[in-house]
Amino acid sequence: MKYMLLIYQGTTPLPGTPEWDALSQEEQGAVYAAYGELNRTPGFTPGGEQMQHPETATTVQVKDGTTLTTDGPFAEIKEAIGGYGFYEAGDLDAAIALAAKIPAASMGGAIEIRPLVER
Amino acid sequence: MFREEWGRVLANLIGFLGDFDLAEEAAQEAFAIAAERWPRDGEPRNPGAWLTTTARNRAINRLNRDRTLLRKTRLLEVPDAVEDTMDEATFPDERLELVFTCCHPALSTDAQVALTLRTLGGLDTGEIARAFLVPEPTMAQRLVRAKRKIAAAGIPFRVPPDDVLPDRLTAVLAVVYLIFNAGYGGRNELAGEALRLGTALAELMPDEPEVHGVVALMLLHDARRDARFEGGDVVLLEDQDSSRWDREQIAAGRALLDRALALRGRGPYVVQAAIASLHADEPRDWHEIAALYGELSRLTGSAVVELSRAVAVAEAQGPEAGLAIVDGLELGDYHYLHATRGELLRRLGRVDDARAAYGQALELVHDDAERRLLVRRLAELTT
């Protein structure tokens, strides 16, 4: 099975924010270590490039031929996607176990596991 | 007989094929053939193995006719038909794998309940829909979506590994107890179904105290079923005619409770079963009941349990002590809270306050039988 893991940041502190700076060195180190381990997990492919913060997003919709552009992500800031990755695993339980290890899952965010269509 | 075999045959087919729909169709065909032949030719020596063999061969025929279906299965090629009726040992009992699949937390609770009743209980869609007062197309859709999710999301067909087993078992037991409670309101067939499921689980997981605990709890509650209703009206425990309690079932429940306690079970179902057991004693040991509710309250953090504790404390130490607990609870929209307050206030002689509390309970109650009970209490208060 192939899964896409969508990382919702929620209230997870992001580097470059005061909330992140408020974390201790150990806490920051643990987050980096956890992402490092995630990236080394067999079957896991990180989502390539790193996304800027959701505040920098622009949302485009076309209604009756008119392009509407709004500031911010489509969802609320807290519900915006902060990153993603792919995981090839035997079953959903393996994907759940990996998702639970992503720091955002335990720091105020959430991980959505989406099975991908196999071709 | 048929219903007993259904879960086991279907579990084996799902394990073999890896697809719920194909497995269900094949099992249905096999059961239809049995219904036609057995009365005429006599029942085979090993009915379960006969049904499984026949269903497997039906599935293999189907795959031979339509090879595109193979993609839905876990099979790489269409296997050869099973020649003879094999004995039971050839077909492993995979009901446990099936129940953990059906009660996987990635499915909604509604879907878990429906799927468990359909696959392990052998209830058809119409029966499940009627039991849960849902239109049949809605229930059919719920089952289709659940099966689709199992396939698309890769929900595994297996007993979970030790690190997640406790959580997953909790989910399974919650589904069983939910089915039981849906039946406790009067739909007897569901309570019986829950007892069958629980008993099968206890056989399959003999070392899990909470499994014995939930079956003990259901047996102890179910033993009082006949005494619980009088012409459609709810009869409270203290007013029940205990000669109508099923003593044999109480003894069976207590035996399972002892087994759970011997396995060092101290989980929520074991504690609830212990409370139910104490409730079947006369006179009741309210101090012990209150203490066990205290333990259950610590385990669950549930305000509803605290309300039950308040009732037991009121019996053990007087209405004042019970009322003090009730008044500290944040359960304002729960009609039992107000009904309990009404009763305790009545005992304290505060008739006007009691009347107001019963009035609040009446505004919140939905169930007709419960409503009539409250109306009766209110009338008794006025006279």
Side-chain angles (χ1 to χ4, degrees):
Chain A
M1 300 284 308
K2 275 188 191 149
Y3 300 96
M4 185 167 185
L5 304 180
L6 300 163
I7 302 168
Y8 293 86
Q9 294 298 151
T11 53
T12 309
L14 297 174
T17 63
E19 291 79 14
W20 174 262
D21 294 337
L23 295 178
S24 71
Q25 287 258 298
E26 291 78 38
E27 286 169 322
Q28 294 180 1
V31 171
Y32 284 124
Y35 276 109
E37 199 181 315
L38 180 69
N39 292 340
R40 286 191 301 274
T41 304
F44 182 79
T45 313
E49 308 292 318
Q50 190 186 347
M51 287 178 173
Q52 292 273 13
H53 294 186
E55 287 87 342
T56 62
T58 303
T59 300
V60 177
Q61 287 175 297
V62 178
K63 282 186 180 151
D64 301 325
T66 309
T67 301
L68 300 171
T69 309
T70 43
D71 177 29
F74 180 53
E76 298 292 315
I77 292 276
K78 274 187 172 183
E79 292 159 6
I81 290 171
Y84 62 94
F86 299 94
Y87 189 38
E88 198 156 356
D91 57 43
L92 183 61
D93 281 353
I96 291 172
L98 187 73
K101 287 186 196 152
I102 299 177
S106 51
M107 295 178 77
I111 316 300
E112 181 178 316
I113 302 168
R114 286 285 280 272
L116 297 175
V117 177
E118 312 254 359
R119 298 195 193 277
Chain B
M1 151 73 231
F2 270 40
R3 283 278 287 281
E4 304 289 307
E5 297 290 346
W6 171 267
R8 202 172 158 180
V9 171
L10 186 63
N12 186 281
L13 281 171
I14 293 171
F16 171 60
L17 295 164
D19 182 76
F20 275 67
D21 288 329
L22 277 175
E24 239 180 274
E25 277 168 35
Q28 258 160 3
E29 281 184 57
F31 276 75
I33 295 167
E36 190 197 309
R37 279 193 203 162
W38 293 4
R40 195 183 64 211
D41 304 343
E43 205 171 279
R45 197 162 43 83
N46 195 334
W50 188 95
L51 286 162
T52 309
T53 308
T54 307
R56 272 199 191 204
N57 285 339
R58 288 277 140 175
I60 289 166
N61 282 344
R62 180 89 202 279
L63 290 172
N64 272 320
R65 283 200 308 276
D66 184 354
R67 296 205 164 237
T68 59
L69 287 174
L70 205 54
R71 282 179 47 215
K72 291 178 75 182
T73 73
R74 64 169 55 160
L75 306 168
L76 297 174
E77 54 186 72
V78 182
D80 290 334
V82 186
E83 288 297 330
D84 292 314
T85 300
M86 297 187 187
D87 60 279
E88 202 92 48
T90 322
F91 297 113
D93 188 346
E94 291 177 301
R95 281 176 299 171
L96 214 44
E97 283 82 350
L98 182 55
V99 79
F100 279 106
T101 306
C102 293
C103 299
H104 196 281
L107 299 169
S108 73
T109 305
D110 283 349
Q112 293 175 27
V113 166
L115 207 54
T116 302
L117 285 171
R118 174 78 198 101
T119 57
L120 285 140
L123 272 69
D124 66 33
T125 309
E127 288 173 311
I128 306 168
R130 281 189 296 281
F132 288 94
L133 311 172
V134 168
E136 194 169 330
T138 309
M139 188 53 79
Q141 188 58 33
R142 193 177 289 171
L143 285 164
V144 167
R145 274 195 5 224
K147 286 187 266 190
R148 197 178 293 154
K149 173 145 188 194
I150 288 172
I155 292 178
F157 182 81
R158 63 137 191 257
V159 178
D162 285 350
D163 58 331
V164 289
L165 187 63
D167 282 351
R168 297 285 165 88
L169 184 59
T170 302
V172 169
L173 298 182
V175 164
V176 172
Y177 197 46
L178 214 141
I179 293 170
F180 178 79
N181 278 324
Y184 201 53
R187 282 161 282 158
N188 291 359
E189 74 280 7
L190 281 183
E193 199 51 59
L195 272 166
R196 260 192 297 282
L197 275 169
T199 306
L201 279 177
E203 280 165 21
L204 294 164
M205 306 186 89
D207 299 330
E208 291 289 343
E210 279 288 90
V211 182
H212 296 298
V214 80
V215 182
L217 176 61
M218 293 191 293
L219 283 170
L220 288 162
H221 276 319
D222 196 61
R224 296 199 294 258
R225 165 186 306 284
D226 287 345
R228 202 170 161 258
F229 287 97
E230 189 72 68
D233 282 335
V234 176
V235 183
L236 293 182
L237 191 55
E238 62 264 29
D239 302 326
Q240 287 175 9
D241 173 5
S242 61
S243 72
R244 291 172 67 189
W245 293 353
D246 184 335
R247 293 284 158 191
E248 247 174 68
Q249 215 170 317
I250 289 175
R254 284 178 170 161
L256 282 177
L257 173 61
D258 287 344
R259 186 133 154 229
L261 291 169
L263 289 164
R264 308 201 161 277
R266 298 291 183 273
Y269 290 113
V270 174
V271 174
Q272 286 178 84
I275 292 169
S277 172
L278 287 170
H279 272 304
D281 279 334
E282 284 174 304
R284 278 178 274 174
D285 182 344
W286 286 108
H287 286 280
E288 187 61 27
I289 292 173
L292 284 177
Y293 272 124
E295 199 173 323
L296 187 60
S297 177
R298 275 190 298 280
L299 286 170
T300 60
S302 154
V304 173
V305 171
E306 272 296 284
L307 183 58
S308 301
R309 186 171 78 87
V311 173
V313 166
E315 295 291 340
Q317 300 168 29
E320 200 88 54
L323 193 61
I325 298 171
V326 173
D327 286 340
L329 296 177
E330 287 178 16
L331 274 175
D333 49 4
Y334 189 54
H335 80 265
Y336 284 118
L337 177 108
H338 299 288
T340 305
R341 278 196 79 234
E343 172 60 20
L344 297 178
L345 289 163
R346 182 192 67 78
R347 289 186 204 174
L348 289 166
R350 292 163 58 184
V351 177
D352 287 340
D353 292 338
R355 192 173 293 127
Y358 277 124
Q360 269 181 294
L362 266 173
E363 276 175 35
L364 295 164
V365 75
H366 292 296
D367 185 84
D368 282 339
E370 299 278 1
R371 176 187 304 278
R372 286 195 297 274
L373 176 70
L374 287 169
V375 170
R376 258 183 359 247
R377 291 274 142 157
L378 200 52
E380 284 163 13
L381 204 59
T382 322
T383 51

